[in-house]
Amino acid sequence: MKSGRKDLLGLRDVPREEIEAILTTAAQMREIGRRRVKKVPPLRGRLVVSLFFENSTRTRTSFELAAKRLSADTLSFNASTSSTAKGETLMDTARTIFAMQPDAVVVRHAYAGAPHLLARSFPWSVVNAGDGINEHPSQALLDMLTMQDRLGSIAGRTVAIVGDVQHSRVARSNIFGLSTMGARVLVAGPGTMCRRDLAALPVTVRHTIDDVVAEADVIMMLRIQHERLGRAVLPSQREYAAFYGLDIDRLRRARPDVVVMHPGPINRGVEIGADVADGPQSVILDQVTNGIAVRMALLYRLLGHGDSGGDWHAAD
Ligand code: CP
């Protein structure tokens, strides 16, 4: 069965069966990363372009690695070293990329809706790699794969998302994806980063980390999105760490088998203590490894392969 989808722009409207199919394909594709030759042929001759107008370590490298493992050609565009710095617009940059005849473009942009504009304007597949405060769907999918590994099933579990929920595209995609998958989502943070209007989403809003830690099967800590804050919303980072950071003392109040996650990049000593980030309950590096498999599954499905596939099992 083909995925039937040209683009992946967000998880808000992605049905449960489709999320499950992506996670199943990704779980199968992890095996390729354990081979001596980490490459299979299904996207041979296809071109995947990374179009990043904002900084990235994990998302850009893992999409590129995912494309390479499926034998696609890759081309990486970095706004800071491109003609964007000379005043070229998003659409003119996209038209230039279009002239290179890509099959898929992975886009990160500071403006919510930028990937949607490209998806409407061009025939190639667009994957949203993070648009402003809107969505970051591949991050939520890799988070869900990591939860599934640890918990077996996501349905019926309680996931606490703590910190700067208001400005986090990771939080929004997780809220949509997790609620579709049957999880209960709690959010907690200071009033400026976790406003009451979040209650319009399928979440329960709380205002202290201590209100959510004891109940959670998963605690997902978020970085303060300083680049999206137009004004000071915090008295100080030290106070933030004291009231909202996950340190080892707070973690002792959680379930012994709680799973600690963070999408990265982390700010040690602010939202998460170093001993928690590097501790036995942390799956932060598993999230990174799963990111490659999830992005392989997405490119594979979007570029014309469906649920059954199977043509990637043979080594190249
Ligand atoms: N989680 C995440 O999106 O990380 P990068 O900004 O490094 O891609």
Side-chain angles (χ1 to χ4, degrees):
M1 188 177 83
K2 302 256 186 216
S3 80
R5 178 181 288 283
K6 170 180 161 295
D7 311 297
L8 181 70
L9 302 175
L11 292 189
R12 186 191 273 268
D13 300 317
V14 178
R16 183 170 179 160
E17 309 75 57
E18 190 174 344
I19 293 176
E20 286 172 345
I22 295 166
L23 299 185
T24 299
T25 306
Q28 292 167 346
M29 285 193 164
R30 274 194 295 224
E31 181 264 326
I32 297 165
R34 294 193 280 267
R35 294 182 189 174
R36 191 175 64 81
V37 177
K38 299 174 175 55
K39 209 174 185 62
V40 289
L43 299 190
R44 184 186 282 147
R46 313 297 291 276
L47 175 60
V48 177
V49 178
S50 317
L51 199 54
F52 276 61
F53 294 88
E54 282 192 326
N55 295 341
S56 169
T57 296
R58 283 146 283 269
T59 312
R60 190 175 61 75
T61 52
S62 61
F63 262 116
E64 285 178 22
L65 190 52
K68 285 182 203 298
R69 285 195 175 168
L70 294 169
S71 299
D73 295 322
T74 59
L75 193 151
S76 182
F77 167 96
N78 184 332
S80 63
T81 55
S82 75
S83 289
T84 302
K86 302 178 199 163
E88 192 164 59
T89 64
L90 168 65
M91 286 306 282
D92 280 333
T93 302
R95 285 184 193 103
T96 304
I97 298 293
F98 182 49
M100 297 175 192
Q101 298 170 310
D103 295 284
V105 176
V106 179
V107 187
R108 173 171 287 189
H109 203 285
Y111 290 102
H116 306 66
L117 175 64
L118 298 190
R120 279 197 303 274
S121 308
F122 297 99
W124 23 260
S125 286
V126 173
V127 186
N128 181 0
D131 64 323
I133 61 167
N134 183 35
E135 284 222 42
H136 189 352
S138 64
Q139 177 69 46
L141 289 165
L142 75 87
D143 292 338
M144 287 191 277
L145 180 61
T146 310
M147 288 179 212
Q148 210 169 259
D149 288 344
R150 287 290 172 129
L151 304 172
S153 168
I154 293 169
R157 299 295 187 162
T158 299
V159 180
I161 305 178
V162 181
D164 187 4
V165 182
Q166 205 76 35
H167 306 100
S168 171
R169 53 200 179 200
V170 174
R172 282 173 62 83
S173 285
N174 266 294
I175 289 167
F176 295 133
L178 287 167
S179 55
T180 299
M181 294 294 282
R184 173 174 170 244
V185 183
L186 308 177
V187 297
T192 47
M193 297 179 182
C194 198
R195 292 199 302 262
R196 280 183 216 284
D197 55 12
L198 283 173
L201 299 176
V203 297
T204 302
V205 182
R206 306 253 172 94
H207 287 298
T208 78
I209 182 170
D210 298 309
D211 283 340
V212 297
V213 159
E215 281 180 68
D217 295 294
V218 176
I219 306 172
M220 182 183 295
M221 299 305 297
L222 299 177
R223 179 177 69 85
I224 303 169
Q225 304 278 303
H226 287 291
E227 67 274 31
R228 302 189 206 292
L229 301 178
R231 61 196 161 79
V233 291
L234 284 177
S236 75
Q237 285 200 349
R238 199 152 54 95
E239 274 178 296
Y240 182 85
F243 287 106
Y244 290 99
L246 185 62
D247 59 16
I248 205 79
D249 290 329
R250 281 213 166 94
L251 193 59
R252 284 197 191 99
R253 289 178 227 152
R255 296 179 184 181
D257 57 350
V258 72
V259 179
V260 175
M261 305 183 76
H262 193 306
I266 64 174
N267 287 300
R268 290 169 184 263
V270 184
E271 73 274 8
I272 191 164
D275 40 7
V276 177
D278 301 330
Q281 281 135 314
S282 167
V283 294
I284 294 172
L285 294 180
D286 296 330
Q287 291 173 258
V288 176
T289 305
N290 280 337
I292 304 166
V294 159
R295 287 157 180 148
M296 287 173 76
L298 289 175
L299 293 173
Y300 178 82
R301 291 171 58 84
L302 289 172
L303 293 184
H305 300 265
D307 296 337
S308 51
D311 54 345
W312 51 271
H313 287 288
D316 195 17

